[in-house]
């Protein structure tokens, strides 16, 4: 193992990795030859987990009933997601480990099986090799990078082709969840398991929520007050802040609408892995496939939550300005097409009902825009020391708030565009 990992005296050792691979490959004939573990996540990329990459060289013994057979040496990369309680903070009450484990061991498998009736191959997320609670809540996945997938830049956002691929996959995922919620909810009690997401009545009413996200809203209002074009918008933000908790709660509740799905709950750039083909003439790679990760904040409710979350956190500004309606229409058409192709015998919504559902949750999109988007788009150097614990400190939080709006010009310019839309919708 690498020295930096050895010094931590961790439990992720040869024995643990052997168990992971034997569970994943359904065998008890694996021996670990070499193991290198490195921590790979930084602050600003993952707030409630420690992420490690494991490079494993192992020997697989293929034996028959007589004990005879062959041996072969293989290499594999794993992603190890450790979820210590001390890092989870307010998320502990959501039981994020159990949510994600249930998704990967139950719902993902069911969805991928259902979608074989529609298109092959269709995979939603990485393979889960192993889960454990001793000594820490831990999930072990295949490494999507070894399969040719990669992350886009959270600082720059997604281009049009990447965004269209996200909307297509999200529509297919939502369609599968509609079928499962209608046919299988009694068996798995899905709605009870996924009652709420990151923003809920308890987290929103906490002092830390208003300290950080209310502080961001005030900082944005201050910046806009200095811009003649947005001086009136600045006053509207201050009015919004005067009833901050009530306004945020009203943007989220009720969770259910006319068209309800199992929301991913955290659809943004860092939870989307793309595979690319040859480059286009403009130099942009062509995305050909996508996988989603991190289903720990999933919740049941209006499909408008996921759509507005994604649109207000993850697009390049020109894509948001020029192609917002195109993306939404493509999502709606794909959702309906997929529902018709699945063995779904429930009520199928109209295009207009889907569009209305998205519009009904635009106030939620605004909350995501001023609260989470500035954090997500910070430069890596400015966000390395971010954590749920440190952001609860008022001095630290204020310093970070100042950095958020200086870090990337895209942040303020995107928020200006979103504010104009919110004003047109009379949300502000």
């Amino acid at each position: 193992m690498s020295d930096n990992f050895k010094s931590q005296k961790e439990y992720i050792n040869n024995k643990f990795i052997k168990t992971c691979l034997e569970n994943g490959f359904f065998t008890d004939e694996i021996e670990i030859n070499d193991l290198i573990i490195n921590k790979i996540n930084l602050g600003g990329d993952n707030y409630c987990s420690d992420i490690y990459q494991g490079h494993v060289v192992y020997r697989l013994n293929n034996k028959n009933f007589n004990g005879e057979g062959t041996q072969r040496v293989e290499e594999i990369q794993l992603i190890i997601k450790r979820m210590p309680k001390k890092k989870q903070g307010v998320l502990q009450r959501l039981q994020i480990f159990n949510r994600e484990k249930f998704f990967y061991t139950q719902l993902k498998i069911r969805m991928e099986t259902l979608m074989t009736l529609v298109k092959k191959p269709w995979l939603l997320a990485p393979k889960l090799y192993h889960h454990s609670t001793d000594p820490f809540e831990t999930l072990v996945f295949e490494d999507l990078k070894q399969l040719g997938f990669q992350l886009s830049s959270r600082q720059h956002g997604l281009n049009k082709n990447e965004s269209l691929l996200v909307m297509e996959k999200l529509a297919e995922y939502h369609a599968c969840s509609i079928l499962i919620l209608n046919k299988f909810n009694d068996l798995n009690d899905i709605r009870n398991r996924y009652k709420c997401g990151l923003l809920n009545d308890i987290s929103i009413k906490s002092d830390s929520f208003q300290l950080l996200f209310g502080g961001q809203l005030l900082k944005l209002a201050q910046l806009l007050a200095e811009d003649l074009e947005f001086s009136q918008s600045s006053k509207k933000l201050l009015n919004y802040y005067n009833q901050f908790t009530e306004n945020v709660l009203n943007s989220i509740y009720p969770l259910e609408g006319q068209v309800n799905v199992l929301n991913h709950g955290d659809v943004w750039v860092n939870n989307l892995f793309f595979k690319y083909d040859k480059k286009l003439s403009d130099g942009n790679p062509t995305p050909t496939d996508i996988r989603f990760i991190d289903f720990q904040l999933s919740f049941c409710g209006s499909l408008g939550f996921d759509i507005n979350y994604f649109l207000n956190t993850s697009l390049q500004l020109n894509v948001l300005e020029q192609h917002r309606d195109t993306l939404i229409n493509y999502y709606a058409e794909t959702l309906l097409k997929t529902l018709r192709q699945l063995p779904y015998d429930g009520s199928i919504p109209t295009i207009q009902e889907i569009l209305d559902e998205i519009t009904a949750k635009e106030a939620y999109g605004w909350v995501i825009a001023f609260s989470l988007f500035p954090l997500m788009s910070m430069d890596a150097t400015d966000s390395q020391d971010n954590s749920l614990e440190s952001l609860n400190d008022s001095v630290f939080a204020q310093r970070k708030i100042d950095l958020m709006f200086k870090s990337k010009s895209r942040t303020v310019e995107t928020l200006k565009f979103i504010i104009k839309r919110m004003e047109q919708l009379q949300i502000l």
Side-chain angles (χ1 to χ4, degrees), residues 300-316:
C300 293
S302 165
L303 59 80
F305 287 111
D306 267 353
I307 302 302
N308 283 291
Y309 192 109
F310 173 68
L311 294 175
N312 289 309
T313 59
S314 301
L315 308 187
Q316 294 173 7

Side-chain angles (χ1 to χ4, degrees), residues 396-426:
F396 182 91
Q398 188 56 56
R399 180 168 64 85
K400 288 298 176 176
I401 289 170
D402 291 338
L403 283 172
M404 283 176 207
F405 296 99
K406 295 176 182 177
S407 199
K408 299 292 291 185
S409 61
R410 167 184 171 235
T411 302
V412 175
E413 293 307 310
T414 299
L415 286 169
K416 285 180 177 180
F417 173 81
I418 294 171
I419 285 170
K420 287 183 178 179
R421 180 173 182 82
M422 295 303 122
E423 290 177 332
Q424 291 170 355
L425 295 169
Q426 298 186 331

Side-chain angles (χ1 to χ4, degrees), residues 167-192:
M167 293 301 251
E168 178 182 19
K169 196 80 166 197
L170 191 57
E172 293 166 342
Y173 161 68
H174 281 172
C176 286
S177 77
I178 289 173
L179 188 157
I180 289 173
L181 286 171
N182 280 272
K183 275 198 170 184
F184 304 113
N185 185 59
D186 290 343
L187 294 176
N188 296 309
D189 199 17
I190 299 168
R191 284 186 172 86
N192 188 55

Side-chain angles (χ1 to χ4, degrees), residues 76-107:
I76 193 172
Q77 287 182 184
L78 301 172
I79 295 297
I80 302 152
K81 182 177 182 178
R82 192 185 69 169
M83 305 160 80
K85 295 290 187 184
K86 66 179 182 179
K87 290 194 71 171
Q88 294 179 27
V90 295
L91 299 181
Q92 279 195 41
R93 66 176 290 268
L94 297 180
Q95 296 187 321
I96 57 176
F97 172 78
N98 288 331
R99 285 175 181 235
E100 192 152 31
K101 180 183 73 172
F102 184 83
F103 180 84
Y104 275 94
T105 58
Q106 301 292 324
L107 301 180

